[in-house]
Amino acid sequence: MLKTVWAVSQRGAVGMQNQALGLAEALFAGGGFHLPEAREVSFRWSYSWLPMHPGFASLAMLAPQDQAGFRDAWPDVLITCGRKSAMLALAVKKASGGRTAIIHIQDPKASPRHWDLLVVPEHDRVRGSNVLVTHGATHRVTRLKLESGAEALRQEYQHLPSPLVAVLIGGNNRYYTLDAEWMQTFVGQLRRMVGQSGCGLLATVSRRTGEAEAAILRGGLASLPASLWDGKGPNPYFGLLGLADAIIVTCDSVSMISEACATGKPVLVARLPGKSGRFERFFANLLQRGLIQWFDGRLMQWQNGRLDDMDALAVQVRQHFGW
């Protein structure tokens, strides 16, 4: 009988949802699972400060409008990502009477023994017999998505010169700052790179990019052989990655950098003001393996290989549970 699998994350946390759904899709691709169901939920603020322990886990942590979807019918496998979702996984395990296998992605900052399986990137320090370690973030990038996405966009962007460079812009987080001053400098670097290499640009911003910063980018690209996705229509993300000959990505997102590195294309990481020990360990590992270089306004291209744990990770998950 096919197993059901839910990928659950906090509403609006696209990066977290993609990580959970990426693992669910990798399991589905190996057979034995129904098509994964992606769910986004909101949480009551009062549960944010509770210790991460099964004793405090309750479905009451969900906002009222989301509680109805978590009654009686439980999946065989629940995959979560993000701290609040880690507590929800414990609540589902309890409510399902232990029937649901719970897999959490990222370090929940609590003992791994509370979950059936943890999947963490190597720059997180948690380890244990039920902890699988990946080189980067889990993701949804596959060769098929890249190829089909590129084909769908090829005609639309055929007027742009090659090489084509995808530019992936994130935004502020608690470690790094992406402000107007930084964007002005970055746009200057992009313009210098285009002038020196003759490349074309395929740019996209994220939900975390500020409106003022997006406007600076839009203005700076207006006179260049470039395209900036305006947020309307289907997201061309996989297509941009598939078409690109190289990728520039801001340093604020382990997920975006992991996705870029999964393409096998040269990846240039744009530094933002700020610092994080976890992120710096991640960067150091990728630099040592030749998977990334720091972006300094030059287009660099090299054979850098791929960072892609997903197929092997799906096999390890199956082996852990005996599926």
Side-chain angles (χ1 to χ4, degrees), residues 128-152:
S129 59
N130 66 328
V131 179
L132 298 181
V133 181
T134 61
H135 294 296
T138 56
H139 58 80
R140 301 183 63 204
V141 176
T142 65
R143 291 189 186 277
L144 179 60
K145 286 190 176 79
L146 294 176
E147 291 169 0
S148 60
E151 193 57 37

Side-chain angles (χ1 to χ4, degrees), residues 209-227:
T209 309
E211 291 185 10
E213 289 71 33
I216 292 170
L217 179 64
R218 186 177 302 108
L221 298 183
S223 60
L224 298 180
S227 174

Side-chain angles (χ1 to χ4, degrees), residues 259-270:
E259 289 163 352
C261 287
T263 67
K265 316 284 181 68
V267 177
L268 302 168
V269 180

Side-chain angles (χ1 to χ4, degrees), residues 44-120:
R44 295 176 184 269
W45 70 268
S46 55
Y47 277 76
S48 300
W49 308 105
L50 290 177
M52 190 69 67
H53 190 277
F56 296 100
S58 168
L59 294 178
M61 71 182 296
L62 291 169
Q65 68 268 24
D66 292 319
Q67 291 183 18
F70 286 80
R71 292 177 183 156
D72 301 327
W74 307 110
D76 296 305
V77 182
L78 178 73
I79 302 175
T80 54
C81 184
R83 188 179 184 281
K84 291 181 180 179
S85 298
M87 180 74 92
L88 176 61
L90 299 180
V92 169
K93 186 75 172 181
K94 184 189 301 185
S96 70
R99 174 179 175 270
T100 297
I102 56 173
I103 303 172
H104 183 69
I105 298 171
Q106 296 187 352
D107 182 1
K109 306 299 183 182
S111 173
R113 65 185 175 84
H114 299 316
W115 292 265
D116 295 315
L117 186 65
L118 292 184
V119 176
V120 302

Side-chain angles (χ1 to χ4, degrees), residues 169-183 206-213 250-253 256 272-274 279:
I169 306 296
N172 294 325
N173 60 24
R174 56 181 172 169
Y175 304 115
Y176 296 100
T177 301
L178 198 164
D179 57 15
E181 181 180 359
W182 180 89
M183 184 61 82
S206 74
R207 294 185 183 183
R208 293 183 296 108
T209 309
E211 291 185 10
E213 289 71 33
T250 53
C251 76
D252 54 289
S253 172
M256 286 200 307
L272 294 171
F279 279 61

Side-chain angles (χ1 to χ4, degrees), residues 34-47:
H34 286 287
L35 189 68
E37 181 177 341
R39 294 192 175 201
E40 292 184 289
V41 296
S42 297
F43 299 97
R44 295 176 184 269
W45 70 268
S46 55
Y47 277 76

